[in-house]
Amino acid sequence: MTHDLDILERGRKVLLQESEALSRQAQLLDDSFVKAVRLIIDCNGRVIVTGMGKSGHIARKIAATLASTGQPSHFVHPGEAGHGDLGMIVKGDVVIAISNSGEAAELAAILHYSRRFSIPLIAITSGHESTLAVAGDIILLLPKEPEVGAGGLAPTTSTTMTLALGDALAVAVFESRGFSPEDFKNFHPGGKLGRALLRVEEIMHPRESLPLVKKTDTMDHVLVVMTEKGFGCAGVVDETGHLEGIITDGDLRRHMSKDLVQKTAASLMTRHPMTVAPRLMAVEALNILNEKKRTQVFVVDSQNIPVGILHIHDLLRAGIS
């Protein structure tokens, strides 16, 4: 019977050995990696990623990562390539072929096709004199690290290194292009990631919904505006439309008196209210509201002119929490 501590130690051993292999791999990166990144950046078509077996699973992930960061990319199964799928690869594309040994027979059709039609080929392999390496225009060599586990039979370390190398390529490509969070959101509109990248301007109430009053308006008018707009506040603007203050339900309670309705907005307002910019990440706006214990905030442009209002309920409805 295997003890729990032995199982835990085996798991740690795998992680440590693979992390050590990754460290050695990082030290081996050279000018070939730079050339591969520049080739992908200059690609006018798509990046075609291919591999067989476990390398194929890694290839699918690399293709998905590239596509999600703005580089048109897809996976082509090498076994299907010789049965019509070679038509998915055209001039202007770049092929990334993956095989740890470099001798996967199923890659033959794609290798021959890429050489025949002068389609650039990036080879990822540990076999520096293998068929794949000889065919490649750029060779990204994997260090010959032993596969972890009894007998070193199952692909473990090699697939981890290949996956990490694919991540390194994708990140180097999109960072070199200046890929922004806004660009990233365009490819991830759904799910938690899409919500996390929402901007305030995408969920705020627009200018026509704003509860705005002038400094000289009396409180009877302010109360009507606050009631009609339903945000529990009113923004106070000057003659040129710049936001100067805010009146909240709390301000009304603090200044409650018989002559309240005759007072001016300027006499009750809180000056220099908290505001946010339209391009602020919505999740950052939520953090600000929570930190300041507020339920709403005016959104202003660079001239401090109100362009919207954001309520905490808008953030919750958008799935931001």
Side-chain angles (χ1 to χ4, degrees):
M1 181 69 178
T2 304
H3 294 295
D4 291 351
L5 288 177
D6 291 332
I7 294 173
L8 188 61
E9 185 58 31
R10 288 172 183 172
R12 287 173 175 162
K13 183 179 179 181
V14 170
L15 295 176
L16 287 171
Q17 288 182 339
E18 291 197 353
S19 65
E20 290 168 1
L22 288 174
S23 295
R24 287 188 284 271
Q25 181 183 15
Q27 298 303 315
L28 291 176
L29 282 188
D30 56 17
D31 190 54
S32 294
F33 179 81
V34 177
K35 291 178 180 177
V37 170
R38 295 200 181 281
L39 181 61
I40 295 172
I41 290 174
D42 294 336
C43 175
N44 294 318
R46 299 150 303 166
V47 174
I48 309 299
V49 194
T50 187
M52 193 67 195
K54 300 299 185 293
S55 293
H57 295 310
I58 301 300
R60 288 180 186 275
K61 195 276 180 184
I62 293 174
T65 301
L66 286 167
S68 73
T69 53
Q71 172 58 57
S73 177
H74 64 255
F75 170 79
V76 171
H77 194 290
E80 300 291 339
H83 298 275
D85 282 3
L86 284 174
M88 299 170 69
I89 310 172
V90 299
K91 286 273 191 179
D93 290 347
V94 170
V95 173
I96 299 177
I98 303 170
S99 170
N100 187 38
S101 68
E103 300 296 346
E106 294 84 356
L107 289 175
I110 289 180
L111 298 187
H112 177 72
Y113 185 84
S114 70
R115 301 305 81 195
R116 179 183 176 188
F117 293 102
S118 300
I119 296 172
L121 175 67
I122 299 171
I124 298 179
T125 180
S126 66
H128 68 282
E129 294 182 349
S130 64
T131 301
L132 176 56
V134 171
D137 296 297
I138 298 172
I139 308 167
L140 298 180
L141 281 174
L142 301 171
K144 288 185 175 293
E145 296 286 337
E147 307 285 11
V148 297
L153 301 175
T156 50
T157 308
S158 61
T159 50
T160 297
M161 291 190 298
T162 306
L163 180 63
L165 182 58
D167 287 342
L169 282 171
V171 172
V173 167
F174 80 70
E175 287 189 346
S176 296
R177 283 178 170 156
F179 200 72
S180 68
E182 183 65 25
D183 297 322
F184 201 73
K185 186 176 78 70
N186 291 334
F187 296 99
H188 300 79
K192 185 175 181 180
L193 182 57
R195 294 193 297 272
L197 294 173
L198 280 173
R199 305 279 185 175
V200 166
E201 63 186 355
E202 297 178 78
I203 57 175
M204 70 182 187
H205 297 269
R207 184 173 176 80
E208 54 268 24
S209 302
L210 300 188
L212 296 178
V213 298
K214 298 176 182 178
K215 292 192 297 182
T216 55
D217 286 339
T218 53
M219 288 304 299
D220 55 347
H221 175 69
V222 173
L223 289 169
V224 170
V225 171
M226 292 176 66
T227 302
E228 288 180 347
K229 300 297 185 179
F231 290 102
C233 69
V236 184
V237 296
D238 63 15
E239 297 77 9
T240 56
H242 296 84
L243 186 67
E244 285 205 4
I246 188 173
I247 298 173
T248 65
D249 289 336
D251 293 319
L252 294 179
R253 288 192 294 272
R254 284 188 292 272
H255 292 86
M256 188 61 65
S257 64
K258 293 180 179 180
D259 61 343
L260 173 67
V261 293
Q262 279 80 45
K263 294 182 178 180
T264 64
S267 66
L268 267 75
M269 72 180 185
T270 298
R271 295 184 178 276
H272 311 299
M274 178 182 74
T275 60
V276 297
R279 300 288 293 167
L280 183 72
M281 291 288 188
V283 67
E284 293 181 65
L286 178 61
N287 291 336
I288 292 172
L289 287 173
N290 285 333
E291 181 181 340
K292 301 296 184 180
K293 296 181 172 57
R294 306 289 174 80
T295 57
Q296 72 282 310
V297 61
F298 277 98
V299 184
V300 298
D301 63 15
S302 59
Q303 304 300 315
N304 201 41
I305 294 177
V307 294
I309 189 170
L310 182 70
H311 196 280
I312 196 167
H313 290 163
D314 303 320
L315 294 161
L316 298 177
R317 278 192 293 268
I320 299 168
S321 60

